Amino acid sequence: PPLRSFHLDNPTPHRIPEGENAAPLDVVGGTWRNSDKLVLVMVGLPATGKTHMGKRICRFFSFFHSIPTQVFNVGDYRRQLCGANQSANFYDHSNAEALAQRTMACNAALNDTIEYIQQDGCRIAIFDATN
């Protein structure tokens, strides 16, 4: 069968900003300098796509811009330190021992993020955590 064509009317097409309040083009886009650093912090409710989006952003900058990018997922650190199968009691705020373990995992991820971003060269770090 022949291919059908269709027209998609985009109500907000991409335009370069103009006028007195427009951001200069060097702010809107441009090239990355060797000293540029960026930390993205993904925070929100569980199961809302933070990890998925963090990994997609990482792949985008790594593949299309060849910028070293790494995701630091606090949940991965917690699973390495405390194990993968934890009861609901582990997440109870009144459980001081579990809170200390969760805080330790968060601090380990944060320290690794800081260490990574302080390395030479242009790089992006994505700190991925729940709440």
Side-chain angles (χ1 to χ4, degrees):
L3 295 175
R4 289 183 283 160
S5 65
F6 63 93
H7 174 71
L8 179 63
D9 187 22
N10 185 355
T12 55
H14 178 71
R15 292 180 295 202
I16 295 177
E18 298 176 9
E20 156 180 341
N21 293 326
L25 287 178
D26 61 338
V27 173
V28 174
T31 58
W32 287 74
R33 294 180 302 252
N34 193 38
S35 61
D36 288 343
K37 311 280 186 192
L38 178 65
V39 177
L40 300 174
V41 180
M42 311 295 283
V43 178
L45 294 173
T48 55
K50 296 173 300 300
T51 300
H52 175 74
M53 288 307 298
K55 289 178 180 179
R56 289 191 67 168
I57 292 167
C58 181
R59 282 193 307 265
F60 174 82
F61 280 106
S62 296
F63 184 81
F64 288 109
H65 297 282
S66 298
I67 297 173
T69 307
Q70 189 169 341
V71 177
F72 298 89
N73 182 292
V74 175
D76 291 342
Y77 283 79
R78 177 186 44 78
R79 283 185 282 280
Q80 288 177 352
L81 292 171
C82 309
N85 298 322
Q86 298 294 331
S87 67
N89 184 42
F90 182 79
Y91 301 98
D92 185 0
H93 293 290
S94 62
N95 184 343
E97 181 183 336
L99 180 61
Q101 291 175 330
R102 292 193 322 266
T103 302
M104 186 179 359
C106 183
N107 288 338
L110 185 59
N111 289 337
D112 285 351
T113 302
I114 293 168
E115 184 179 305
Y116 175 78
I117 208 69
Q118 288 177 338
Q119 294 176 15
D120 289 340
C122 173
R123 52 188 65 245
I124 298 172
I126 301 171
F127 186 78
D128 179 21
T130 299
N131 293 350

